Amino acid sequence: HGPQHPDRATSHNDIGNVLVRLGKFEDALEAHQEALAIRLKVHGPQHPDTATSHDNIGNVLQRLGKFEDALEAHQEALAIRLKVHGPQHPDTATSHNNIGLVLQRLGKFEDALEAHQEALAIRLKVHGPQHPDAATSHNDI
C-alpha cells in the first residue's frame, strides 16, 4: 500500500493510541495528525474515520492541557458524526461526552452539564439504562 492508503492511517491511529498509553502525548498527537491527514485525503471530511481522528486529536490535546484546541477538535468530530450518523448514535454520544469533559476542564460547568446530559439521553435511548456507557454518562454528570 502507498502512503495514502486507509491501512496506513489506521496504523498511525494505533501507534498514536499506544503512545498515549505510554504517556508520550506530543508523539501521539503527531501520529493522530498524520492519520487525520491521510483520512482527509482518502475519505474526505465527512467520514466516520475522519471524525475518529478529530476525536483522538482532541483527547491528546486535552492531555496536553490545550483545552480550547481540544474543544475545537471534539466539536469537529461531533459535527461530522451528526451528519454521518445522526443525533441518536453511540459515536455522537461519545462526542457530546468528550465535549463535556473538556468544558469541565475549562470551568464551563453549565455547558459541560448540558453536553453530558445529551450524551446520557442518547446512550439511554440507544443502549438502555444497564449499559456501561450509560453508567459512564451518569458518573460524568
Side-chain angles (χ1 to χ4, degrees):
H1 304 300
Q4 300 303 315
H5 192 276
D7 289 348
R8 185 167 297 242
T10 299
S11 293
H12 284 291
N13 183 74
D14 294 345
I15 289 167
N17 290 338
V18 171
L19 289 167
V20 166
R21 288 184 186 91
L22 292 172
K24 297 180 178 185
F25 302 122
E26 292 290 347
D27 293 336
L29 181 59
E30 188 176 313
H32 284 303
Q33 287 170 331
E34 183 63 29
L36 175 60
I38 295 168
R39 287 172 170 169
L40 284 168
K41 288 179 183 172
V42 173
H43 301 304
Q46 302 299 318
H47 189 276
D49 290 347
T50 305
T52 297
S53 286
H54 284 293
D55 211 30
N56 289 337
I57 288 168
N59 290 335
V60 175
L61 288 167
Q62 185 175 348
R63 295 280 189 105
L64 289 168
K66 299 178 179 180
F67 302 121
E68 292 291 342
D69 293 337
L71 181 59
E72 188 176 312
H74 287 308
Q75 288 171 331
E76 183 64 29
L78 175 61
I80 295 166
R81 288 172 170 164
L82 284 169
K83 287 180 184 174
V84 173
H85 299 305
Q88 300 298 318
H89 189 275
D91 290 348
T92 305
T94 296
S95 286
H96 284 293
N97 187 73
N98 289 338
I99 288 168
L101 293 172
V102 175
L103 289 168
Q104 281 180 267
R105 298 301 299 263
L106 288 168
K108 298 179 180 181
F109 300 113
E110 291 295 325
D111 293 337
L113 178 61
E114 186 178 314
H116 286 306
Q117 288 172 330
E118 184 65 30
L120 175 61
I122 296 166
R123 288 170 169 169
L124 288 172
K125 185 171 184 173
V126 172
H127 298 304
Q130 302 303 318
H131 194 275
D133 286 350
T136 297
S137 286
H138 278 294
N139 185 58
D140 289 338
I141 292 172

